[in-house]
Each structure stands twice: as C-alpha cells, then as structure tokens.
Amino acid sequence: MRIIKARDYNDMSKKAANMIAAQILLKPNSVLGLATGSTPIMTYKYLIKLFEDETISFSDVKTINLDEYIGLNKENANSYYFFMCNNFFNFINIKPENVHIPDGTAEDLEKVCSDYETMIQENNGIDLQILGIGNNGHIGFNEPDLKFEAVTHCINLDEETIKANSRFFENEEEVPKKAITMGVKTIMNARKIILLANGSGKAETIFKSLYGKIDPALPASILQLHPDVTFILDKEAAYLL
Ligand code: GLP
C-alpha cells in the first residue's frame, strides 16, 4: 500500500492523472475502472489536457464505471452516465462502444448486474481502478454492511450518502434511494487501485480505512489487503496520518 500526500486538490489531481496517463502509455488498450463524485473531476480535467497535448490517446482504452443510480436515465443531469460524458468522455477520443456504465433504468436489474460482471471478465478484468471514498467509507456504492458484497449488485443507499449526495440535486427528496454498484470483490480484482480523497471531512475515514480493523462496516478498509493500492490524499485528508 502506498500513500502519496499531495499539497492540495490540484496536486492530488495532477498526480492521479499522471499515474493514469502512464498506465495508458504503457498499455494503450488498458481497461480503466472509473469513479464519479466531486473528487475525480480535476483528475479528468488533467487527463483531457494530456489528450489535447497528444501525450495520450484513448482510442483503444476501455472504461468501466463503478456505479449508477437506479431510475435516472442517461439524459438526467444527475445520472453518472451524464456526469461522465459531461466531465470526461465528450472531450476525449474514446469509442462509445468502449464505455461501460450500468443501466439503472433497465427492467431486469439483476440481469444488468450479472451481465456487468460477465462484461468485466470478457475484458480480462480491470487494469487500473480509480476510487473516491464516501464519508461513511463506501467505495463505489458499497455501503457499510455486515458483510462485504462480492459482485455487482443493487443496493439501498445509506441516509448519510443520500444527504451527502443531495448537494447535486434540487433537494434531498430527489436523490434516488437505490443504485447499482460493482461489488467489493469486483473492485479488489482490479490489478491496480488508486483511491483519491481531499478535504478534512474525509480525514477520519481515511485514517480508519488505512489503519483500522478490516470491517464491512467501513468498506474501504478492505483495500488494506490489496497488493497494489495507492492512496493519493491532499494535506487535509491526510492530516490524521
Ligand atoms: C458517491 C460515489 C462514490 C464516490 C463518493 C464520494 O456516492 N458513488 O463513487 O467516491 O460518493 O463522493 P465525492 O467525491 O463527491 O466526495
């Protein structure tokens, strides 16, 4: 496990983008696991810059997103599909067929979950997974639980997550109560993982995830067992370490 302490959010984002760029340069057909949330937004901006500079190309890259709200269609500004297009995909040369995000509007959501796992396997797994972290220690939408949920599944969002994510919606009522997320095993099967966190609000969760008991009540704690994980933290998120 590596911990990189960045000066600030900008530096954290630049360091993350550089690591992702190195992955793409060394393996142009990399499979990237991608995250949403406010944390990776600047990382995507730096990757777009590296693409515009012609340092990297996404022409052979495949992306697989962690999660999606249930019930929001692609045109909904709060869907993760919309987020990814708006913050990243619209500005790079990725092929639409190489983008994967669970469909939270499908009738048969169980099938969406099992098909997602099959798709990941058919792509030979994820080379590099980017993660943010929820205030309650969730990764993807794997909420605190009594056990680690292995594969892609549907979940009920925690009250705390609904509250935290309501800042993107008009009001709390509009936040979907359910989502589809990769499971903890799906995430742990990625060959490399980078977890990003910034801000003092994440400091305690980061400390517990790195040094606390490995416990499904704090899903990110399982990352202690991953053979190639890097936490990139700004000063504030790292202040308890
Ligand atoms: C969301 C996403 C996670 C993300 C987390 C943190 O609910 N499902 O993938 O890491 O919350 O979000 P933020 O980066 O906005 O703090």
Side-chain angles (χ1 to χ4, degrees):
M1 169 172 285
R2 274 189 299 168
I3 300 169
I4 299 178
K5 292 183 188 173
R7 278 191 305 281
D8 50 26
Y9 176 64
N10 201 45
D11 188 36
M12 177 203 83
S13 308
K14 203 171 202 168
K15 285 181 161 63
N18 287 347
M19 285 176 69
I20 299 164
Q23 169 69 38
I24 295 169
L25 282 172
L26 295 172
K27 187 181 177 201
N29 62 346
S30 286
V31 178
L32 303 180
L34 298 181
T36 52
S38 45
T39 310
I41 289 178
M42 183 76 87
T43 301
Y44 294 139
K45 283 202 167 65
Y46 274 117
L47 284 172
I48 292 166
K49 200 163 171 287
L50 288 165
F51 164 70
E52 287 169 352
D53 289 352
E54 296 182 18
T55 307
I56 51 172
S57 167
F58 292 87
S59 59
D60 294 320
V61 168
K62 293 179 181 171
T63 63
I64 302 180
N65 263 72
L66 279 167
D67 47 15
E68 177 61 283
Y69 288 115
I70 290 176
L72 300 190
N73 60 30
K74 292 177 173 180
E75 292 77 38
N76 188 307
N78 279 307
S79 74
Y80 284 167
Y81 183 90
F82 191 96
F83 173 99
M84 289 307 301
C85 292
N86 221 25
N87 285 292
F88 194 33
F89 298 147
N90 287 350
F91 307 97
I92 56 171
N93 65 336
I94 193 151
K95 297 188 180 107
E97 64 269 28
N98 286 344
V99 164
H100 304 278
I101 301 178
D103 179 2
T105 61
E107 249 177 47
D108 188 348
L109 292 169
E110 291 307 317
K111 187 170 178 325
V112 172
C113 294
S114 59
D115 286 354
Y116 211 63
E117 286 293 322
T118 308
M119 177 276 296
I120 293 170
Q121 278 158 25
E122 283 170 358
N123 282 296
N124 291 319
I126 294 166
D127 290 306
L128 175 59
Q129 176 67 55
I130 310 303
L131 294 177
I133 185 167
N135 295 330
N136 61 3
H138 73 226
I139 46 176
F141 266 137
N142 289 279
E143 298 282 32
D145 206 342
L146 296 174
K147 62 176 178 50
F148 290 111
E149 278 287 341
V151 294
T152 303
H153 59 287
C154 298
I155 48 98
N156 294 316
L157 296 174
D158 266 19
E159 275 306 312
E160 194 180 340
T161 303
I162 292 171
K163 244 188 204 97
N165 289 4
S166 66
R167 68 189 192 277
F168 299 111
F169 293 77
E170 293 239 315
N171 56 57
E172 213 175 298
E173 288 305 295
E174 284 189 24
V175 186
K177 308 289 177 281
K178 290 173 188 287
I180 298 177
T181 182
M182 274 187 203
V184 170
K185 183 173 160 202
T186 328
I187 294 170
M188 287 293 279
N189 277 343
R191 287 181 269 284
K192 278 187 206 148
I193 298 178
I194 297 176
L195 183 141
L196 304 175
N198 67 286
S200 56
K202 299 273 174 80
E204 199 182 332
T205 307
I206 287 295
F207 178 80
K208 286 190 193 152
S209 302
L210 284 167
Y211 302 118
K213 186 168 170 272
I214 296 162
D215 187 341
L218 193 80
S221 61
I222 198 154
L223 297 172
Q224 292 176 33
L225 303 179
H226 193 277
D228 189 348
V229 61
T230 304
F231 278 53
I232 310 182
L233 312 168
D234 78 343
K235 251 195 203 128
E236 293 181 348
Y239 92 93
L240 291 174
L241 305 185

